[in-house]
């Protein structure tokens, strides 16, 4: 209930006035059934504008830190993310990550719409970085289509490090669903999962027009953008 109040009464109208968001290709999102929306990731605000512009309710897995912060600020974040139906994801690995995977798969099998960022984190420089194979594992386990989504302008409205958002037009472009049913039963095969993930990232590159970097975004942040650019130029055997 709170999700729809935020979308249509409290927050959504303000976002529409100040950022004039528009969406293209919304007809590609199935009207019913589980579906995985795979988006590029430019800013925190991506998770606000995509649900705003999609008719169906969109749930995003949110990092566990949003639900465990101390003090009044932590309590507010926990209340907000829980109220709008976001689910905490423990990315520490092992049993915790497996439990998170099982949760999102269950939601998709129940016919929900799940948003995911295959890059794993925000782009540090506006380019599109290598996708993590979690998107493939989820799609195969749940047996749902993957719909690519490209966000435009959110990095201008909500630059990295900014505390206040700045009015800027937001555009969302949705591509045709990607059907991976031909790989049914092959979940766990790392070559299949990498192939699926690369296909999703290629679709995102085509939709967004972003330059693609065959390096993980987290690695780029660790190395620095320029060093990551050099790493991308190395043969795969050297770059790892």
């Amino acid at each position: 209930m709170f999700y729809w109040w935020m979308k249509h009464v409290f927050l959504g109208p303000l976002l529409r006035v100040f950022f004039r968001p528009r969406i293209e290709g919304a007809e590609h999102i199935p009207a019913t059934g589980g579906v995985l929306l795979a988006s590029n990731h430019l800013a925190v605000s991506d998770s606000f504008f995509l649900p705003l512009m999609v008719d169906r309710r969109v749930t995003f897995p949110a990092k566990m830190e949003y639900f465990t912060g101390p003090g009044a600020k932590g309590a507010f974040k926990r209340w907000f993310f829980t109220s709008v139906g976001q689910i905490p994801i423990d990315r520490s690995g092992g049993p915790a990550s497996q439990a998170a995977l099982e949760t999102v798969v269950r939601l998709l099998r129940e016919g929900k719409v799940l948003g995911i960022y295959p890059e794993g984190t925000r782009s540090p420089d506006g380019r599109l970085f290598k996708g993590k194979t979690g998107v493939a594992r989820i799609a195969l386990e749940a047996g749902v289509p993957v719909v690519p989504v490209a966000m435009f302008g959110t990095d201008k409205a909500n630059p990295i490090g900014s505390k206040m958002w700045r009015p800027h037009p937001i555009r969302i472009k949705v591509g045709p669903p990607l059907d991976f049913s031909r790989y049914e039963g092959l979940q766990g095969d790392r070559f299949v999962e990498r192939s699926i993930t690369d296909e999703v990232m290629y679709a995102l590159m085509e939709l967004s027009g972003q330059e693609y970097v065959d390096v993980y975004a987290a690695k780029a942040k660790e190395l620095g953008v320029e060093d990551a650019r050099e790493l991308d130029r190395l043969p795969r055997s050297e770059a790892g």
Side-chain angles (χ1 to χ4, degrees):
M1 177 66 72
F2 188 76
Y3 176 94
W4 299 110
W5 277 93
M6 287 293 288
K7 180 172 179 174
H8 296 296
V9 179
F10 298 123
L11 184 59
L14 293 175
L15 294 179
R16 290 180 184 275
V17 168
F18 287 105
F19 300 96
R20 305 188 302 280
R22 58 192 177 93
I23 188 168
E24 305 167 16
E27 68 276 7
H28 292 308
I29 301 174
T32 60
V35 60
L36 194 56
L37 302 182
S39 174
N40 62 337
H41 196 15
L42 300 175
V44 170
S45 58
D46 294 330
S47 298
F48 289 78
F49 287 106
L50 183 55
L52 176 66
M53 300 307 293
V54 172
D55 289 338
R56 298 180 63 187
R57 176 172 176 161
V58 180
T59 296
F60 276 95
K63 60 184 179 181
M64 184 64 73
E65 289 86 342
Y66 289 155
F67 298 83
T68 57
K73 184 177 180 181
F76 174 79
K77 282 186 176 181
R78 185 162 55 253
W79 168 81
F80 178 82
F81 285 102
T82 301
S83 298
V84 296
Q86 306 306 285
I87 55 174
I89 293 296
D90 189 330
R91 299 183 291 186
S92 60
S97 295
Q98 180 60 33
L101 174 64
E102 291 171 358
T103 298
V104 298
V105 167
R106 175 179 55 80
L107 291 172
L108 288 167
R109 287 176 175 168
E110 291 173 356
K112 303 295 195 298
V113 179
L114 192 79
I116 191 172
Y117 302 115
E119 292 168 276
T121 187
R122 286 170 291 171
S123 170
D125 62 1
R127 296 182 296 167
L128 184 69
F129 286 79
K130 185 175 182 177
K132 295 190 173 183
T133 57
V135 63
R137 288 198 298 274
I138 293 170
L140 289 176
E141 288 281 352
V144 297
V146 178
V147 175
V149 178
M151 307 294 296
F152 300 87
T154 51
D155 54 335
K156 302 296 190 299
N158 175 210
I160 293 176
S162 63
K163 294 184 178 180
M164 298 292 293
W165 292 7
R166 308 165 187 178
H168 190 280
I170 303 298
R171 182 165 67 98
I172 302 171
K173 190 174 182 180
V174 183
L178 303 175
D179 179 11
F180 298 111
S181 59
R182 63 190 183 276
Y183 295 115
E184 183 178 359
L186 294 178
Q187 51 265 42
D189 186 315
R190 63 189 183 94
F191 296 106
V192 168
E193 291 176 352
R194 173 45 57 190
S195 177
I196 290 173
T197 303
D198 288 345
E199 186 174 337
V200 171
M201 300 313 293
Y202 184 81
L204 286 177
M205 181 184 69
E206 291 282 289
L207 270 181
S208 68
Q210 292 170 279
E211 177 187 348
Y212 178 74
V213 186
D214 197 26
V215 176
Y216 292 117
K219 186 69 173 180
K221 290 179 180 180
E222 177 187 330
L223 293 173
V225 170
E226 291 305 317
D227 287 341
R229 194 183 297 269
E230 291 301 319
L231 182 62
D232 184 44
R233 295 193 183 105
L234 294 176
R236 290 300 94 200
S237 58
E238 295 181 45

